Structure formats: structure tokens, C-alpha cells
């Protein structure tokens, strides 16, 4: 009896130590493990320079890029096949109608494995991580960056799927979140240690790694903040009723944010509209749809309906504020989808197919959302 108790006590203590170690490792780089990371592509005149890190060493490789085309390359020590297009990435329209199916995943925060699990088990991608959803629309609702340590893997996958989906008349919409903007503006509060080490080894700031002449940087700078599919609006955080005062539609929001990512802090601060768009009440940060959040303004039902009416939609899908599961509220006008993927072992996605909405899990369980 005594021995049995001791045995369980030891197991219990070991579990505590194990769990704590897991927690501690979440945002740390193991100093004894050599870093393999990248690749990062930088565009020059008629050529591209690829930089990546192999066993803590920066490897630089130039590739000649002649004419307009898609170039594929593999790199020693890094998994996967990488594809880049020599032409400028396209800015997609921000509104689509007659879409028969869409899948929304939000706030991935570098949790590549969880993202793959959700996409693969729900057959958006196949076993080779290639596009398998025909003419479906995949919406990545912002905040791929920060916290986790597989941001680059996430970016390359989304980048590839976007090109592949186009071939099937499908689309991948990667919307900007507050963490995309922070990294592009070289704000490092939430950056995983791994990427600080990467920047240090490459002798560049993170802002330079994602500069407009980098592949990721120029691609991210084509992205929208708000899109509309059928009668549904998608935005990372939420839209403050104040937007109506500015008489600004979502296309104007998209252009203003895109055109000012590289504006100085002062320019944004002293321009009332830009200050709003990039600030706490703007579409990348606003939390006023949710109770119990620090917000300058808790939105009211009539304000929300007015806003949705102005935008010509009857639902809005948002991420950014963590929920236990996908559960529409505000008389089903708001569908929140940030379900804590950032932990690495949680998180759901929203699926719309044949006129029906589902919350889907990584294990393929799906539950129809019943609207009242
Ligand atoms: Zn966010």
C-alpha cells in the first residue's frame, strides 16, 4: 500500500515537472540545438538571393530568374520544395459572390502542425500538403505571426496553397492581423526567440527580413484587412461603429492600411483616420464585440446591425479574441473563430458548405451551427 502511494506520488511529481518543462520551452530556443531555419528570399534586379540557416550558419545562394515564371527550389537541410513567382503578387478583389464553400482558420501564431492537422483532416489539403479543395475559398484570418516557432513553415504553406488554389478556381485569402503589422513594422514584443536569433545570425532586423524587397514582405503587402464573401464580412478583430463616421467602406480601409504599413509612426499618429485604422479601435485590434474585454466601446446590437447593413452583409466573422469554441452571438450576426490554436493542441475552424455552417475540429468532428 505504502509503495503504491509512493509510486503514484512520483508519477504525479514527474507529470508536474514534465508539464512545466513543456510550458517553459514554448517560447525559448534550446541553446544546445543548432538552428535550421528559412528560407528567406530577397529580390534583386533579375535575380533572387536565398538566405537560410543551417546548423546556426547562414547560407546564401543566388538564383537567376529570367522572364516571368514560377521557380521551384529545394535546399539541403530544410524540408520541402519552395516555389516563388518572379512576377509581382496580385492584389485580389476584396469581394466575391456565389461562393459555395469556405473554410476559416484564425490566429495560428506559428502552430504549423495544428494548422496542417485542421486543413488535412478536413480535406482542404492532401497528404502532401497540396491544395485539395477545388474551387473552395480558404480564409486565413490574420495573426499567423508571433508566439509559436513555426511561422516560416506556415508562411511557405499558405504561399504555396495560394498559387495552387488559383489553378482550381479556388482562392486563399490571407488577411492581415495586428501581429502581421507588428512584425512588418519591426515591433518585436511577441516574436518567438527563434526569430530573434534568426535575425541576429542574418545580421538583419526582422523588419528588414520582411522588407518590401523580400518575397514574404512584398506578398504580405498585397493583403487585405477586410473581405466580403457572399453576404459575410471577414476581418481579424472587428469593425468599430466609428468607421461609419469616416464614410469609409472596406475597400478604402484595405487600401489605406496597405498603403501605410511602411509609413512612419508619426504620420500614423498625427493622421486621425490612420491613427484609428492602426489603433486599438481599428479593424486589426478592436475587441468591442466581446464582453469582459478591455475596450473603449462595447458595441450595441443596433450599432452592429447598422454597420453590417452599410457593408451589405448580415454576418461578420472575426478572430483575435480567444473563445472556447466557435459559438455565434449577437443574434448570430457575429461568428468568432479564434479558438486558441496558439496553444498548439486546441482550436477549431469554421466551414461553410452547401448553405450550412459547421464548427470543425482537427479530428474531423463537425457540428452544424444552428442559427436562431
Ligand atoms: Zn490579433
Amino acid at each position: 500500500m505504502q509503495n503504491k502511494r509512493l509510486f503514484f506520488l512520483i508519477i504525479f511529481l514527474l507529470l508536474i515537472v514534465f508539464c512545466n518543462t513543456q510550458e517553459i520551452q514554448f517560447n525559448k530556443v534550446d541553446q544546445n540545438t543548432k538552428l535550421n531555419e528559412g528560407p528567406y528570399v530577397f529580390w534583386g534586379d533579375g535575380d533572387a538571393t536565398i538566405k537560410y540557416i543551417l546548423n546556426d550558419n547562414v547560407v546564401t545562394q543566388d538564383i537567376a530568374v529570367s522572364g516571368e515564371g514560377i521557380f521551384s527550389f529545394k535546399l539541403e537541410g530544410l524540408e520541402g520544395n519552395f516555389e516563388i513567382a518572379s512576377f509581382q503578387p496580385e492584389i485580389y478583389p476584396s469581394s466575391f459572390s456565389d461562393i459555395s464553400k469556405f473554410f476559416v482558420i484564425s490566429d495560428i501564431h506559428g502552430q504549423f502542425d495544428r494548422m496542417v492537422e485542421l486543413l488535412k483532416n478536413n480535406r482542404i489539403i492532401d497528404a502532401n500538403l497540396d491544395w485539395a479543395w477545388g474551387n473552395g475559398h480558404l480564409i486565413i484570418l490574420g495573426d499567423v505571426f508571433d508566439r509559436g516557432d513555426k511561422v516560416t513553415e506556415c508562411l511557405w504553406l499558405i504561399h504555396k496553397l495560394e498559387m495552387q488554389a488559383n489553378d482550381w478556381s479556388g482562392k486563399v485569402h490571407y488577411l492581415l492581423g495586428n501581429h502581421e503589422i507588428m512584425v512588418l513594422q519591426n515591433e518585436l514584443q511577441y516574436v518567438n526567440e527563434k526569430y530573434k536569433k534568426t535575425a541576429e545570425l542574418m545580421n538583419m532586423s526582422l523588419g528588414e527580413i520582411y522588407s518590401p524587397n523580400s518575397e514574404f514582405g512584398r506578398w504580405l503587402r498585397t493583403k487585405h484587412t477586410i473581405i466580403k464573401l457572399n453576404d459575410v464580412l471577414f476581418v481579424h478583430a472587428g469593425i468599430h461603429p466609428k468607421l461609419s463616421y469616416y464614410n469609409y467602406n472596406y475597400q478604402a480601409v484595405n487600401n489605406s492600411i496597405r498603403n501605410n504599413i511602411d509609413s512612419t509612426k508619426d504620420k500614423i499618429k498625427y493622421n486621425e483616420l490612420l491613427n484609428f485604422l492602426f489603433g486599438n479601435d481599428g479593424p486589426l485590434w478592436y475587441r468591442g464585440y466581446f464582453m469582459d474585454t478591455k475596450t473603449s466601446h462595447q458595441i450595441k446590437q443596433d450599432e452592429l446591425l447598422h454597420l453590417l447593413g452599410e457593408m451589405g452583409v448580415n454576418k461578420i466573422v472575426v478572430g483575435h479574441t480567444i473563445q472556447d469554441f466557435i459559438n455565434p452571438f449577437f443574434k448570430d450576426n457575429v461568428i468568432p473563430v479564434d479558438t486558441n490554436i496558439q496553444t498548439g493542441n486546441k482550436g477549431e475552424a469554421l466551414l461553410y458548405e452547401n448553405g450550412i455552417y459547421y464548427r470543425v475540429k482537427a479530428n474531423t468532428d463537425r457540428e452544424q451551427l444552428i442559427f436562431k
Side-chain angles (χ1 to χ4, degrees):
M1 189 64 178
Q2 195 72 17
N3 279 349
K4 216 173 180 181
R5 266 192 198 164
L6 191 66
F7 172 76
F8 282 118
L9 184 69
I10 290 170
I11 294 287
F12 180 66
L13 288 173
L14 279 173
L15 270 174
I16 289 179
V17 170
F18 176 74
C19 291
N20 279 339
T21 320
Q22 292 286 309
E23 188 100 343
I24 289 162
Q25 282 174 351
F26 183 66
N27 193 28
K28 287 275 178 280
V29 176
D30 181 352
Q31 294 304 326
N32 299 317
T33 309
K34 301 277 189 201
L35 193 61
N36 289 337
E37 161 60 15
Y40 297 94
V41 176
F42 300 92
W43 290 102
D45 229 1
D47 65 357
T49 302
I50 297 162
K51 284 179 187 274
Y52 63 106
I53 295 169
L54 202 57
N55 294 323
D56 273 358
N57 293 309
V58 179
V59 182
T60 303
Q61 205 172 302
D62 286 331
I63 53 170
V65 179
S66 52
E68 294 228 325
I70 292 175
F71 298 82
S72 177
F73 59 93
K74 271 182 97 64
L75 297 167
E76 187 207 331
L78 294 184
E79 257 179 57
N81 217 354
F82 304 96
E83 277 188 354
I84 46 171
S86 58
F87 43 87
Q88 287 286 340
E90 176 190 352
I91 299 176
Y92 292 147
S94 50
S95 169
F96 290 81
S97 49
D98 301 322
I99 305 304
S100 61
K101 53 184 186 180
F102 58 74
F103 190 90
V104 194
I105 179 169
S106 188
D107 296 78
I108 296 160
H109 286 300
Q111 296 293 346
F112 177 73
D113 299 327
R114 189 65 178 174
M115 171 172 87
V116 166
E117 210 179 1
L118 273 161
L119 295 178
K120 203 155 62 174
N121 291 346
N122 287 294
R123 307 198 173 185
I124 311 298
I125 60 175
D126 64 18
N128 297 321
L129 313 193
D130 289 320
W131 182 256
W133 212 38
N135 64 353
H137 285 234
L138 168 63
I139 298 136
I140 309 286
L141 205 53
D143 281 7
V144 172
F145 280 87
D146 286 345
R147 306 189 200 280
D149 64 358
K150 288 191 177 171
V151 172
T152 312
E153 289 84 341
C154 294
L155 293 176
W156 277 114
L157 177 60
I158 299 166
H159 186 271
K160 174 180 84 171
L161 294 177
E162 190 183 290
M163 289 201 247
Q164 291 180 338
N166 270 339
D167 296 340
W168 290 91
S169 312
K171 276 274 173 292
V172 175
H173 307 274
Y174 179 178
L175 268 61
L176 296 170
N178 53 313
H179 286 269
E180 275 71 26
I181 300 294
M182 277 192 277
V183 171
L184 293 176
Q185 296 181 340
N186 201 36
E187 285 181 29
L188 311 183
Q189 296 99 300
Y190 301 97
V191 171
N192 189 286
E193 294 293 323
K194 178 181 176 184
Y195 301 108
K196 290 186 183 166
K197 183 174 175 183
T198 300
E200 205 179 293
L201 289 168
M202 285 171 60
N203 201 18
M204 297 170 87
S205 69
L206 217 63
E208 285 168 337
I209 288 178
Y210 292 102
S211 66
N213 79 322
S214 70
E215 175 57 19
F216 286 149
R218 74 174 192 176
W219 175 58
L220 288 164
R221 283 170 175 81
T222 64
K223 299 303 171 206
H224 293 308
T225 302
I226 306 172
I227 59 166
K228 178 180 162 188
L229 302 188
N230 303 336
D231 54 359
V232 185
L233 211 62
F234 300 82
V235 60
H236 176 64
I239 299 175
H240 193 293
K242 211 191 307 187
L243 189 68
S244 320
Y245 314 153
Y246 294 109
N247 199 16
Y248 234 48
N249 61 23
Y250 57 93
Q251 290 94 339
V253 171
N254 289 334
N255 291 335
S256 284
I257 291 188
R258 205 174 25 245
N259 294 335
N260 287 285
I261 289 175
D262 298 311
S263 290
T264 61
K265 288 238 158 67
D266 272 359
K267 181 179 172 191
I268 291 172
K269 191 174 161 190
Y270 294 112
N271 177 306
E272 192 191 322
L273 179 62
L274 291 179
N275 196 34
F276 161 66
L277 290 177
F278 282 91
N280 281 341
D281 289 343
L284 303 160
W285 287 94
Y286 180 53
R287 291 191 201 272
Y289 295 2
F290 298 86
M291 302 298 278
D292 305 322
T293 53
K294 277 188 191 158
T295 178
S296 67
H297 178 78
Q298 203 88 52
I299 201 166
K300 295 174 192 71
Q301 181 79 37
D302 59 332
E303 288 175 323
L304 182 71
L305 287 180
H306 178 75
L307 203 64
L308 297 186
E310 273 189 341
M311 302 274 177
V313 297
N314 64 40
K315 288 197 188 328
I316 182 164
V317 177
V318 298
H320 186 61
T321 303
I322 297 170
Q323 305 293 289
D324 290 336
F325 57 97
I326 293 176
N327 190 20
F329 61 97
F330 261 132
K331 298 193 176 158
D332 300 328
N333 294 127
V334 177
I335 309 181
V337 286
D338 177 0
T339 42
N340 223 351
I341 288 177
Q342 61 174 283
T343 56
N345 57 15
K346 284 189 187 162
E348 304 178 341
L350 176 72
L351 169 68
Y352 170 84
E353 206 167 27
N354 300 322
I356 300 174
Y357 286 86
Y358 304 87
R359 44 185 281 249
V360 302
K361 300 188 180 180
N363 64 4
T364 72
D365 277 1
R366 62 173 62 176
E367 188 187 312
Q368 186 179 341
L369 299 180
I370 309 289
F371 297 123
K372 287 150 228 130

